[in-house]
Amino acid sequence: MDTKIIPIQLEKPAKSAAWFQTPAGEPRGFIQPHALDELWFHTGTACNLACPFCLEGSKPGDTRLQLLRFADAQPFIDEALTLGVKQFSFTGGEPFVAKDMVRILDYALQHRPCMVLTNATGPLIERLKQLKPLLQHQNKLHFRVSLDHFDATKHDIGRGVGMFAMALQGLRALHDLGFSVSVANQMLADSTPAETCAGFVEVFKKAGLPEDLRRVEFPDFHPPGLAVATPHISANCMVTYQTEDTRRAYMCAFSKMIVKDKDKMRVYACTLVDDDPDYALAETLTESMKEPVSMKHHRCYSCFRYGASCSEM
Ligand code: SF4
């Protein structure tokens, strides 16, 4: 008897109705991805710190998202290269809690420049010796260090006593080794933009860092899974208040993020939506690039209103 092998078509999980429509019944705004310029990896939600405002809900031993292993990352690095990726970026949790982190960076740097978001405290400081040889790659490795506030006491309220000084120590060590560095801080409600800028310049000067160190500011994204009321973004909003150029600047238009969850690797739309399974677009990058991205997450409003982006590209 003639037998044929029929490939099984796995059904994608259905999206919620809110993916397509606002509560007022209007068509939801969408972003159509145009490129994979940057590929992010979530290294897991385990962190050495437990900041109450963390958008990932990270803390010591946290397993909401699993630690990334080399064997998890390598196939996506290889696939991304076939899609023309220009940079690999890594966020956590604290990436240097993941034991394969330096090996993953070593592989990724053989192909493209990389960026790591870090709190620059214990886990990074302990691995500075392992990081130094990565300077030999032709592709550059950039670190972005979180400093919530220019005032050490205010920074330490969320991160723990002594963490401001330790983060500056890590930042300075990276700079002295020859890595390029930048700083991320929250938008501060208790000081004007000019005061914030002057405050950080003073901190950088005292630490022996360049006064004009690049600094990226973020709004409060709120902890994961929180129902935050924000205005809904309709398809009409995306053409009335946005242009072709601004739509192309959304992270979900030119990047993706790889997440390990329940022993499965998934491609998410961006770095800000891994608490919502609707944003798990596919299991391969190639498939994920075909999926329009809904603006239904409350953090999408930060992109819409403030142009928020984790990217430095
Ligand atoms: S949070 Fe921003 S980048 Fe992410 S899916 Fe929403 S609009 Fe796109």
Side-chain angles (χ1 to χ4, degrees):
M1 192 173 67
D2 199 17
T3 53
K4 280 187 195 156
I5 297 171
I6 301 168
I8 299 168
Q9 295 291 324
L10 291 176
E11 274 190 29
K12 277 193 267 179
K15 303 283 186 214
S16 65
W19 181 261
F20 302 100
Q21 267 195 354
T22 69
E26 293 174 285
R28 182 76 76 180
F30 276 84
I31 289 288
Q32 187 64 51
H34 66 269
L36 183 70
D37 290 338
E38 184 171 22
L39 180 62
W40 287 82
F41 287 89
H42 200 298
T43 60
T45 44
C47 185
N48 58 317
L49 306 181
C51 313
F53 48 78
C54 179
L55 82 152
E56 295 294 346
S58 298
K59 55 186 175 306
D62 194 87
T63 55
R64 183 178 70 83
L65 302 178
Q66 291 168 279
L67 288 170
L68 185 75
R69 302 302 309 264
F70 179 78
D72 302 324
Q74 188 184 22
F76 289 100
I77 292 173
D78 294 346
E79 187 189 4
L81 292 168
T82 70
L83 296 172
V85 74
K86 296 178 182 149
Q87 177 173 305
F88 296 110
S89 300
F90 300 84
T91 185
E94 167 50 48
F96 291 101
V97 168
K99 70 175 182 187
D100 288 355
M101 193 58 214
V102 176
R103 186 174 170 208
I104 294 168
L105 283 173
D106 187 43
Y107 184 74
L109 284 164
Q110 288 170 34
H111 304 284
R112 292 292 183 270
C114 293
M115 175 169 78
V116 185
L117 276 46
T118 172
N119 60 38
T121 60
L124 172 120
I125 290 172
E126 284 161 22
R127 297 175 87 174
L128 285 169
K129 265 201 191 123
Q130 292 171 36
L131 288 172
K132 196 175 170 192
L134 299 181
L135 283 161
Q136 286 158 15
H137 285 288
Q138 213 173 356
N139 288 309
K140 296 285 168 234
L141 173 55
H142 177 85
F143 292 89
R144 184 158 83 211
V145 173
S146 302
L147 281 183
D148 300 327
H149 204 291
F150 54 83
D151 180 319
T153 312
K154 289 183 178 162
H155 172 95
D156 285 358
I157 289 172
R159 295 195 176 241
V161 176
M163 289 303 109
F164 185 83
M166 198 185 274
L168 267 185
Q169 180 196 336
L171 175 61
R172 174 71 197 263
L174 289 168
H175 179 260
D176 288 352
L177 281 171
F179 290 110
S180 78
V181 289
S182 57
V183 160
N185 70 274
Q186 299 175 345
M187 287 177 180
L188 302 179
D190 62 352
S191 72
T192 64
E195 287 164 350
T196 303
C197 184
F200 275 104
V201 165
E202 202 51 36
V203 167
F204 298 154
K205 245 195 312 196
K206 273 196 194 145
L209 290 158
E211 288 177 31
D212 60 350
L213 204 63
R214 183 166 185 191
R215 197 166 51 78
V216 188
E217 261 189 4
F218 291 101
D220 184 359
F221 288 125
H222 305 284
L226 215 65
V228 179
T230 52
H232 290 278
I233 305 162
S234 66
N236 191 35
C237 297
M238 291 305 287
V239 289
T240 307
Y241 303 109
Q242 304 280 317
T243 64
E244 173 70 17
D245 282 350
T246 62
R247 288 191 295 272
R248 285 171 72 90
Y250 281 63
M251 278 192 292
C252 52
F254 66 86
S255 71
K256 294 282 174 278
M257 182 167 78
I258 305 299
V259 164
K260 186 176 187 180
D261 180 20
K262 299 181 191 70
D263 288 326
K264 274 203 143 224
M265 303 306 296
R266 294 191 169 88
V267 184
Y268 271 74
C270 80
T271 52
L272 297 174
V273 290
D274 59 56
D275 59 345
D276 183 339
D278 274 354
Y279 285 89
L281 302 178
E283 291 180 13
T284 68
L285 287 165
T286 308
E287 286 301 309
S288 75
M289 292 302 291
K290 298 175 195 159
E291 299 289 327
V293 180
S294 166
M295 305 280 293
K296 76 158 194 170
H297 198 288
H298 69 82
R299 290 178 186 153
C300 299
Y301 186 68
S302 297
C303 302
F304 181 84
R305 169 92 198 268
Y306 305 108
S309 172
C310 299
S311 179
E312 288 196 30
M313 289 187 75

PDB file of all heavy atoms in Angstrom, residues 248-278:
ATOM      1  N   ARG A 248       8.101  52.970  11.967  1.00  0.00           N
ATOM      2  CA  ARG A 248       9.274  52.106  11.722  1.00  0.00           C
ATOM      3  C   ARG A 248      10.269  52.145  12.886  1.00  0.00           C
ATOM      4  O   ARG A 248      11.136  51.291  12.987  1.00  0.00           O
ATOM      5  CB  ARG A 248       9.983  52.525  10.415  1.00  0.00           C
ATOM      6  CG  ARG A 248       9.236  52.087   9.170  1.00  0.00           C
ATOM      7  CD  ARG A 248       9.835  52.711   7.929  1.00  0.00           C
ATOM      8  NE  ARG A 248      11.125  52.145   7.582  1.00  0.00           N
ATOM      9  CZ  ARG A 248      11.309  51.097   6.788  1.00  0.00           C
ATOM     10  NH1 ARG A 248      10.256  50.479   6.266  1.00  0.00           N
ATOM     11  NH2 ARG A 248      12.512  50.645   6.503  1.00  0.00           N
ATOM     12  N   ALA A 249      10.134  53.156  13.764  1.00  0.00           N
ATOM     13  CA  ALA A 249      11.075  53.282  14.889  1.00  0.00           C
ATOM     14  C   ALA A 249      10.624  52.485  16.119  1.00  0.00           C
ATOM     15  O   ALA A 249      11.359  52.391  17.096  1.00  0.00           O
ATOM     16  CB  ALA A 249      11.240  54.756  15.253  1.00  0.00           C
ATOM     17  N   TYR A 250       9.409  51.931  16.116  1.00  0.00           N
ATOM     18  CA  TYR A 250       8.978  51.085  17.237  1.00  0.00           C
ATOM     19  C   TYR A 250       9.866  49.842  17.274  1.00  0.00           C
ATOM     20  O   TYR A 250      10.140  49.234  16.227  1.00  0.00           O
ATOM     21  CB  TYR A 250       7.519  50.637  17.048  1.00  0.00           C
ATOM     22  CG  TYR A 250       6.481  51.679  17.410  1.00  0.00           C
ATOM     23  CD1 TYR A 250       6.401  52.884  16.732  1.00  0.00           C
ATOM     24  CD2 TYR A 250       5.571  51.448  18.419  1.00  0.00           C
ATOM     25  CE1 TYR A 250       5.452  53.838  17.061  1.00  0.00           C
ATOM     26  CE2 TYR A 250       4.610  52.387  18.756  1.00  0.00           C
ATOM     27  CZ  TYR A 250       4.557  53.581  18.068  1.00  0.00           C
ATOM     28  OH  TYR A 250       3.618  54.521  18.394  1.00  0.00           O
ATOM     29  N   MET A 251      10.253  49.429  18.494  1.00  0.00           N
ATOM     30  CA  MET A 251      11.110  48.229  18.604  1.00  0.00           C
ATOM     31  C   MET A 251      10.521  47.020  17.892  1.00  0.00           C
ATOM     32  O   MET A 251      11.243  46.232  17.285  1.00  0.00           O
ATOM     33  CB  MET A 251      11.298  47.846  20.079  1.00  0.00           C
ATOM     34  CG  MET A 251      12.355  48.608  20.806  1.00  0.00           C
ATOM     35  SD  MET A 251      12.664  47.799  22.382  1.00  0.00           S
ATOM     36  CE  MET A 251      11.138  48.089  23.239  1.00  0.00           C
ATOM     37  N   CYS A 252       9.185  46.856  17.995  1.00  0.00           N
ATOM     38  CA  CYS A 252       8.575  45.655  17.397  1.00  0.00           C
ATOM     39  C   CYS A 252       8.585  45.718  15.873  1.00  0.00           C
ATOM     40  O   CYS A 252       8.263  44.724  15.215  1.00  0.00           O
ATOM     41  CB  CYS A 252       7.163  45.443  17.925  1.00  0.00           C
ATOM     42  SG  CYS A 252       6.112  46.895  17.771  1.00  0.00           S
ATOM     43  N   ALA A 253       8.957  46.872  15.299  1.00  0.00           N
ATOM     44  CA  ALA A 253       9.061  46.975  13.837  1.00  0.00           C
ATOM     45  C   ALA A 253      10.401  46.451  13.335  1.00  0.00           C
ATOM     46  O   ALA A 253      10.514  46.016  12.192  1.00  0.00           O
ATOM     47  CB  ALA A 253       8.877  48.428  13.396  1.00  0.00           C
ATOM     48  N   PHE A 254      11.441  46.510  14.209  1.00  0.00           N
ATOM     49  CA  PHE A 254      12.774  46.136  13.708  1.00  0.00           C
ATOM     50  C   PHE A 254      13.529  45.171  14.631  1.00  0.00           C
ATOM     51  O   PHE A 254      14.712  44.896  14.408  1.00  0.00           O
ATOM     52  CB  PHE A 254      13.632  47.387  13.442  1.00  0.00           C
ATOM     53  CG  PHE A 254      13.978  48.168  14.685  1.00  0.00           C
ATOM     54  CD1 PHE A 254      15.095  47.836  15.443  1.00  0.00           C
ATOM     55  CD2 PHE A 254      13.192  49.225  15.099  1.00  0.00           C
ATOM     56  CE1 PHE A 254      15.411  48.541  16.595  1.00  0.00           C
ATOM     57  CE2 PHE A 254      13.494  49.935  16.247  1.00  0.00           C
ATOM     58  CZ  PHE A 254      14.614  49.597  17.002  1.00  0.00           C
ATOM     59  N   SER A 255      12.854  44.679  15.680  1.00  0.00           N
ATOM     60  CA  SER A 255      13.560  43.736  16.564  1.00  0.00           C
ATOM     61  C   SER A 255      12.596  42.683  17.101  1.00  0.00           C
ATOM     62  O   SER A 255      11.384  42.779  16.910  1.00  0.00           O
ATOM     63  CB  SER A 255      14.230  44.479  17.720  1.00  0.00           C
ATOM     64  OG  SER A 255      13.271  44.960  18.645  1.00  0.00           O
ATOM     65  N   LYS A 256      13.151  41.702  17.767  1.00  0.00           N
ATOM     66  CA  LYS A 256      12.375  40.644  18.430  1.00  0.00           C
ATOM     67  C   LYS A 256      13.134  40.274  19.699  1.00  0.00           C
ATOM     68  O   LYS A 256      14.311  40.605  19.845  1.00  0.00           O
ATOM     69  CB  LYS A 256      12.267  39.399  17.533  1.00  0.00           C
ATOM     70  CG  LYS A 256      11.459  39.609  16.259  1.00  0.00           C
ATOM     71  CD  LYS A 256       9.966  39.593  16.527  1.00  0.00           C
ATOM     72  CE  LYS A 256       9.162  39.936  15.291  1.00  0.00           C
ATOM     73  NZ  LYS A 256       9.049  41.374  15.025  1.00  0.00           N
ATOM     74  N   MET A 257      12.439  39.520  20.598  1.00  0.00           N
ATOM     75  CA  MET A 257      13.151  39.019  21.777  1.00  0.00           C
ATOM     76  C   MET A 257      12.889  37.524  21.961  1.00  0.00           C
ATOM     77  O   MET A 257      11.746  37.065  21.853  1.00  0.00           O
ATOM     78  CB  MET A 257      12.745  39.761  23.051  1.00  0.00           C
ATOM     79  CG  MET A 257      13.548  39.258  24.264  1.00  0.00           C
ATOM     80  SD  MET A 257      13.426  40.300  25.720  1.00  0.00           S
ATOM     81  CE  MET A 257      11.829  39.817  26.348  1.00  0.00           C
ATOM     82  N   ILE A 258      13.966  36.799  22.282  1.00  0.00           N
ATOM     83  CA  ILE A 258      13.890  35.360  22.538  1.00  0.00           C
ATOM     84  C   ILE A 258      13.745  35.131  24.042  1.00  0.00           C
ATOM     85  O   ILE A 258      14.501  35.700  24.836  1.00  0.00           O
ATOM     86  CB  ILE A 258      15.173  34.648  22.036  1.00  0.00           C
ATOM     87  CG1 ILE A 258      15.420  34.959  20.557  1.00  0.00           C
ATOM     88  CG2 ILE A 258      15.090  33.148  22.297  1.00  0.00           C
ATOM     89  CD1 ILE A 258      14.350  34.517  19.615  1.00  0.00           C
ATOM     90  N   VAL A 259      12.790  34.288  24.395  1.00  0.00           N
ATOM     91  CA  VAL A 259      12.460  34.021  25.799  1.00  0.00           C
ATOM     92  C   VAL A 259      12.413  32.515  26.020  1.00  0.00           C
ATOM     93  O   VAL A 259      11.915  31.783  25.169  1.00  0.00           O
ATOM     94  CB  VAL A 259      11.063  34.647  26.104  1.00  0.00           C
ATOM     95  CG1 VAL A 259      10.476  34.098  27.378  1.00  0.00           C
ATOM     96  CG2 VAL A 259      11.161  36.168  26.165  1.00  0.00           C
ATOM     97  N   LYS A 260      12.926  32.065  27.161  1.00  0.00           N
ATOM     98  CA  LYS A 260      12.780  30.647  27.532  1.00  0.00           C
ATOM     99  C   LYS A 260      11.745  30.550  28.651  1.00  0.00           C
ATOM    100  O   LYS A 260      11.925  31.096  29.739  1.00  0.00           O
ATOM    101  CB  LYS A 260      14.117  30.074  27.999  1.00  0.00           C
ATOM    102  CG  LYS A 260      14.054  28.578  28.259  1.00  0.00           C
ATOM    103  CD  LYS A 260      15.428  28.040  28.618  1.00  0.00           C
ATOM    104  CE  LYS A 260      15.417  26.530  28.716  1.00  0.00           C
ATOM    105  NZ  LYS A 260      16.751  26.002  29.064  1.00  0.00           N
ATOM    106  N   ASP A 261      10.666  29.832  28.348  1.00  0.00           N
ATOM    107  CA  ASP A 261       9.553  29.737  29.286  1.00  0.00           C
ATOM    108  C   ASP A 261       9.034  28.305  29.275  1.00  0.00           C
ATOM    109  O   ASP A 261       8.723  27.775  28.205  1.00  0.00           O
ATOM    110  CB  ASP A 261       8.457  30.723  28.821  1.00  0.00           C
ATOM    111  CG  ASP A 261       7.253  30.715  29.735  1.00  0.00           C
ATOM    112  OD1 ASP A 261       7.368  30.279  30.883  1.00  0.00           O
ATOM    113  OD2 ASP A 261       6.176  31.158  29.273  1.00  0.00           O
ATOM    114  N   LYS A 262       8.961  27.672  30.420  1.00  0.00           N
ATOM    115  CA  LYS A 262       8.493  26.280  30.544  1.00  0.00           C
ATOM    116  C   LYS A 262       9.218  25.369  29.564  1.00  0.00           C
ATOM    117  O   LYS A 262       8.613  24.605  28.814  1.00  0.00           O
ATOM    118  CB  LYS A 262       6.978  26.196  30.354  1.00  0.00           C
ATOM    119  CG  LYS A 262       6.209  26.988  31.394  1.00  0.00           C
ATOM    120  CD  LYS A 262       4.704  26.874  31.214  1.00  0.00           C
ATOM    121  CE  LYS A 262       3.964  27.865  32.081  1.00  0.00           C
ATOM    122  NZ  LYS A 262       4.105  29.259  31.658  1.00  0.00           N
ATOM    123  N   ASP A 263      10.541  25.513  29.522  1.00  0.00           N
ATOM    124  CA  ASP A 263      11.425  24.689  28.682  1.00  0.00           C
ATOM    125  C   ASP A 263      11.192  24.861  27.181  1.00  0.00           C
ATOM    126  O   ASP A 263      11.614  24.023  26.389  1.00  0.00           O
ATOM    127  CB  ASP A 263      11.318  23.208  29.063  1.00  0.00           C
ATOM    128  CG  ASP A 263      11.991  22.960  30.403  1.00  0.00           C
ATOM    129  OD1 ASP A 263      13.001  23.627  30.689  1.00  0.00           O
ATOM    130  OD2 ASP A 263      11.484  22.120  31.175  1.00  0.00           O
ATOM    131  N   LYS A 264      10.492  25.908  26.782  1.00  0.00           N
ATOM    132  CA  LYS A 264      10.279  26.175  25.353  1.00  0.00           C
ATOM    133  C   LYS A 264      10.876  27.523  24.995  1.00  0.00           C
ATOM    134  O   LYS A 264      10.766  28.481  25.771  1.00  0.00           O
ATOM    135  CB  LYS A 264       8.776  26.229  25.040  1.00  0.00           C
ATOM    136  CG  LYS A 264       8.191  24.862  24.758  1.00  0.00           C
ATOM    137  CD  LYS A 264       6.926  24.982  23.942  1.00  0.00           C
ATOM    138  CE  LYS A 264       6.883  23.848  22.967  1.00  0.00           C
ATOM    139  NZ  LYS A 264       6.546  23.965  21.690  1.00  0.00           N
ATOM    140  N   MET A 265      11.480  27.597  23.827  1.00  0.00           N
ATOM    141  CA  MET A 265      12.007  28.864  23.340  1.00  0.00           C
ATOM    142  C   MET A 265      10.930  29.525  22.487  1.00  0.00           C
ATOM    143  O   MET A 265      10.345  28.888  21.613  1.00  0.00           O
ATOM    144  CB  MET A 265      13.272  28.643  22.494  1.00  0.00           C
ATOM    145  CG  MET A 265      14.375  27.906  23.213  1.00  0.00           C
ATOM    146  SD  MET A 265      14.850  28.653  24.788  1.00  0.00           S
ATOM    147  CE  MET A 265      15.489  30.248  24.245  1.00  0.00           C
ATOM    148  N   ARG A 266      10.682  30.801  22.763  1.00  0.00           N
ATOM    149  CA  ARG A 266       9.641  31.499  22.016  1.00  0.00           C
ATOM    150  C   ARG A 266      10.161  32.867  21.552  1.00  0.00           C
ATOM    151  O   ARG A 266      10.986  33.474  22.224  1.00  0.00           O
ATOM    152  CB  ARG A 266       8.407  31.723  22.888  1.00  0.00           C
ATOM    153  CG  ARG A 266       7.724  30.427  23.275  1.00  0.00           C
ATOM    154  CD  ARG A 266       6.367  30.703  23.904  1.00  0.00           C
ATOM    155  NE  ARG A 266       5.610  29.471  24.039  1.00  0.00           N
ATOM    156  CZ  ARG A 266       5.695  28.661  25.098  1.00  0.00           C
ATOM    157  NH1 ARG A 266       6.493  28.961  26.085  1.00  0.00           N
ATOM    158  NH2 ARG A 266       4.982  27.565  25.143  1.00  0.00           N
ATOM    159  N   VAL A 267       9.614  33.317  20.421  1.00  0.00           N
ATOM    160  CA  VAL A 267       9.982  34.636  19.901  1.00  0.00           C
ATOM    161  C   VAL A 267       8.890  35.620  20.277  1.00  0.00           C
ATOM    162  O   VAL A 267       7.738  35.477  19.858  1.00  0.00           O
ATOM    163  CB  VAL A 267      10.148  34.617  18.365  1.00  0.00           C
ATOM    164  CG1 VAL A 267      10.633  35.983  17.881  1.00  0.00           C
ATOM    165  CG2 VAL A 267      11.092  33.506  17.926  1.00  0.00           C
ATOM    166  N   TYR A 268       9.247  36.607  21.086  1.00  0.00           N
ATOM    167  CA  TYR A 268       8.306  37.647  21.501  1.00  0.00           C
ATOM    168  C   TYR A 268       8.500  38.903  20.646  1.00  0.00           C
ATOM    169  O   TYR A 268       9.557  39.108  20.037  1.00  0.00           O
ATOM    170  CB  TYR A 268       8.503  37.986  22.982  1.00  0.00           C
ATOM    171  CG  TYR A 268       7.659  37.124  23.888  1.00  0.00           C
ATOM    172  CD1 TYR A 268       7.982  35.789  24.108  1.00  0.00           C
ATOM    173  CD2 TYR A 268       6.517  37.623  24.510  1.00  0.00           C
ATOM    174  CE1 TYR A 268       7.199  34.984  24.925  1.00  0.00           C
ATOM    175  CE2 TYR A 268       5.728  36.833  25.330  1.00  0.00           C
ATOM    176  CZ  TYR A 268       6.076  35.513  25.532  1.00  0.00           C
ATOM    177  OH  TYR A 268       5.287  34.727  26.329  1.00  0.00           O
ATOM    178  N   ALA A 269       7.455  39.750  20.668  1.00  0.00           N
ATOM    179  CA  ALA A 269       7.445  40.925  19.779  1.00  0.00           C
ATOM    180  C   ALA A 269       8.499  41.957  20.145  1.00  0.00           C
ATOM    181  O   ALA A 269       9.019  42.653  19.271  1.00  0.00           O
ATOM    182  CB  ALA A 269       6.066  41.563  19.803  1.00  0.00           C
ATOM    183  N   CYS A 270       8.815  42.096  21.435  1.00  0.00           N
ATOM    184  CA  CYS A 270       9.801  43.094  21.864  1.00  0.00           C
ATOM    185  C   CYS A 270      10.214  42.791  23.296  1.00  0.00           C
ATOM    186  O   CYS A 270       9.790  41.791  23.870  1.00  0.00           O
ATOM    187  CB  CYS A 270       9.237  44.517  21.738  1.00  0.00           C
ATOM    188  SG  CYS A 270       8.149  44.975  23.103  1.00  0.00           S
ATOM    189  N   THR A 271      10.977  43.683  23.897  1.00  0.00           N
ATOM    190  CA  THR A 271      11.498  43.474  25.254  1.00  0.00           C
ATOM    191  C   THR A 271      10.481  43.791  26.350  1.00  0.00           C
ATOM    192  O   THR A 271      10.756  43.555  27.518  1.00  0.00           O
ATOM    193  CB  THR A 271      12.710  44.402  25.492  1.00  0.00           C
ATOM    194  OG1 THR A 271      12.301  45.732  25.143  1.00  0.00           O
ATOM    195  CG2 THR A 271      13.897  43.996  24.653  1.00  0.00           C
ATOM    196  N   LEU A 272       9.338  44.377  25.984  1.00  0.00           N
ATOM    197  CA  LEU A 272       8.448  44.944  27.004  1.00  0.00           C
ATOM    198  C   LEU A 272       7.160  44.159  27.237  1.00  0.00           C
ATOM    199  O   LEU A 272       6.333  44.564  28.046  1.00  0.00           O
ATOM    200  CB  LEU A 272       8.076  46.390  26.609  1.00  0.00           C
ATOM    201  CG  LEU A 272       9.236  47.389  26.540  1.00  0.00           C
ATOM    202  CD1 LEU A 272       8.746  48.732  26.006  1.00  0.00           C
ATOM    203  CD2 LEU A 272       9.874  47.561  27.908  1.00  0.00           C
ATOM    204  N   VAL A 273       6.969  43.052  26.537  1.00  0.00           N
ATOM    205  CA  VAL A 273       5.639  42.418  26.554  1.00  0.00           C
ATOM    206  C   VAL A 273       5.697  40.922  26.893  1.00  0.00           C
ATOM    207  O   VAL A 273       4.774  40.185  26.564  1.00  0.00           O
ATOM    208  CB  VAL A 273       4.940  42.638  25.184  1.00  0.00           C
ATOM    209  CG1 VAL A 273       4.548  44.095  25.008  1.00  0.00           C
ATOM    210  CG2 VAL A 273       5.834  42.183  24.025  1.00  0.00           C
ATOM    211  N   ASP A 274       6.774  40.495  27.583  1.00  0.00           N
ATOM    212  CA  ASP A 274       6.921  39.050  27.817  1.00  0.00           C
ATOM    213  C   ASP A 274       6.003  38.535  28.924  1.00  0.00           C
ATOM    214  O   ASP A 274       6.052  37.359  29.279  1.00  0.00           O
ATOM    215  CB  ASP A 274       8.385  38.687  28.092  1.00  0.00           C
ATOM    216  CG  ASP A 274       8.935  39.422  29.302  1.00  0.00           C
ATOM    217  OD1 ASP A 274       8.339  39.311  30.382  1.00  0.00           O
ATOM    218  OD2 ASP A 274       9.961  40.121  29.163  1.00  0.00           O
ATOM    219  N   ASP A 275       5.167  39.407  29.509  1.00  0.00           N
ATOM    220  CA  ASP A 275       4.197  38.951  30.516  1.00  0.00           C
ATOM    221  C   ASP A 275       2.842  38.654  29.888  1.00  0.00           C
ATOM    222  O   ASP A 275       1.873  38.401  30.600  1.00  0.00           O
ATOM    223  CB  ASP A 275       4.046  40.001  31.635  1.00  0.00           C
ATOM    224  CG  ASP A 275       3.594  41.358  31.112  1.00  0.00           C
ATOM    225  OD1 ASP A 275       3.664  41.586  29.879  1.00  0.00           O
ATOM    226  OD2 ASP A 275       3.164  42.204  31.920  1.00  0.00           O
ATOM    227  N   ASP A 276       2.755  38.716  28.561  1.00  0.00           N
ATOM    228  CA  ASP A 276       1.474  38.489  27.882  1.00  0.00           C
ATOM    229  C   ASP A 276       1.673  37.463  26.768  1.00  0.00           C
ATOM    230  O   ASP A 276       2.346  37.753  25.770  1.00  0.00           O
ATOM    231  CB  ASP A 276       0.982  39.827  27.298  1.00  0.00           C
ATOM    232  CG  ASP A 276      -0.379  39.690  26.639  1.00  0.00           C
ATOM    233  OD1 ASP A 276      -0.769  38.551  26.281  1.00  0.00           O
ATOM    234  OD2 ASP A 276      -1.054  40.721  26.470  1.00  0.00           O
ATOM    235  N   PRO A 277       1.076  36.261  26.916  1.00  0.00           N
ATOM    236  CA  PRO A 277       1.316  35.200  25.918  1.00  0.00           C
ATOM    237  C   PRO A 277       0.851  35.557  24.510  1.00  0.00           C
ATOM    238  O   PRO A 277       1.318  34.954  23.537  1.00  0.00           O
ATOM    239  CB  PRO A 277       0.535  33.997  26.466  1.00  0.00           C
ATOM    240  CG  PRO A 277      -0.286  34.492  27.603  1.00  0.00           C
ATOM    241  CD  PRO A 277       0.248  35.816  28.041  1.00  0.00           C
ATOM    242  N   ASP A 278      -0.050  36.544  24.363  1.00  0.00           N
ATOM    243  CA  ASP A 278      -0.446  36.954  23.015  1.00  0.00           C
ATOM    244  C   ASP A 278       0.759  37.433  22.199  1.00  0.00           C
ATOM    245  O   ASP A 278       0.755  37.384  20.969  1.00  0.00           O
ATOM    246  CB  ASP A 278      -1.463  38.110  23.074  1.00  0.00           C
ATOM    247  CG  ASP A 278      -2.898  37.611  23.222  1.00  0.00           C
ATOM    248  OD1 ASP A 278      -3.103  36.377  23.166  1.00  0.00           O
ATOM    249  OD2 ASP A 278      -3.800  38.461  23.392  1.00  0.00           O
TER     250      ASP A 278
END
